[in-house]
Amino acid sequence: MTRKQALDDPQIAATAWARFRRIMAWMALGGAVCVGIALVFLHLRSGELPIHMVIATILGVWLTFMLGTGLMALTFLSSGTGHDEQVMDRLKDEVPLDD
């Protein structure tokens, strides 16, 4: 019987996903801080902001922040659990090496 690797092992997967959720929760708070900074900056530069601009700023800044954070966190999750090492390069024999 072979030992399960990376995210195939339920214990490793549970630990990795708990870490991922913890990182994302902290980053959601960080995104909220960035939204606040952006709104303060816009208010200081432009004065009173229309409600549509406030909503667009909140959604744009926070969702962009969370998308970048989520993709980077998934990259670290994949690398940190050994999931990347399980990938087989089926083309490695077809690519000639230039000496």
Side-chain angles (χ1 to χ4, degrees):
M1 179 175 186
T2 61
R3 177 163 158 52
K4 294 181 181 178
Q5 295 179 349
L7 296 176
D8 297 333
D9 185 346
Q11 187 177 10
I12 293 173
T15 303
W17 285 111
R19 181 175 176 231
F20 175 79
R21 284 189 294 275
R22 188 173 56 248
I23 289 170
M24 291 303 291
W26 278 107
M27 290 297 107
L29 180 62
V33 169
C34 287
V35 166
I37 292 169
L39 288 173
V40 167
F41 176 77
L42 287 173
H43 180 70
L44 292 175
R45 297 278 297 182
S46 303
E48 193 64 32
L49 300 174
I51 188 67
H52 296 96
M53 186 171 180
V54 171
I55 293 169
T57 301
I58 290 170
L59 290 175
V61 170
W62 194 78
L63 290 175
T64 301
F65 187 90
M66 292 307 293
L67 177 64
T69 300
L71 291 173
M72 189 57 70
L74 285 173
T75 301
F76 287 129
L77 172 79
S78 176
S79 176
T81 59
H83 196 69
D84 291 348
E85 284 78 27
Q86 289 181 322
V87 176
M88 291 186 299
D89 185 6
R90 297 178 193 269
L91 298 177
K92 71 179 177 184
D93 296 332
E94 295 180 20
V95 177
L97 296 175
D98 294 331
D99 289 336

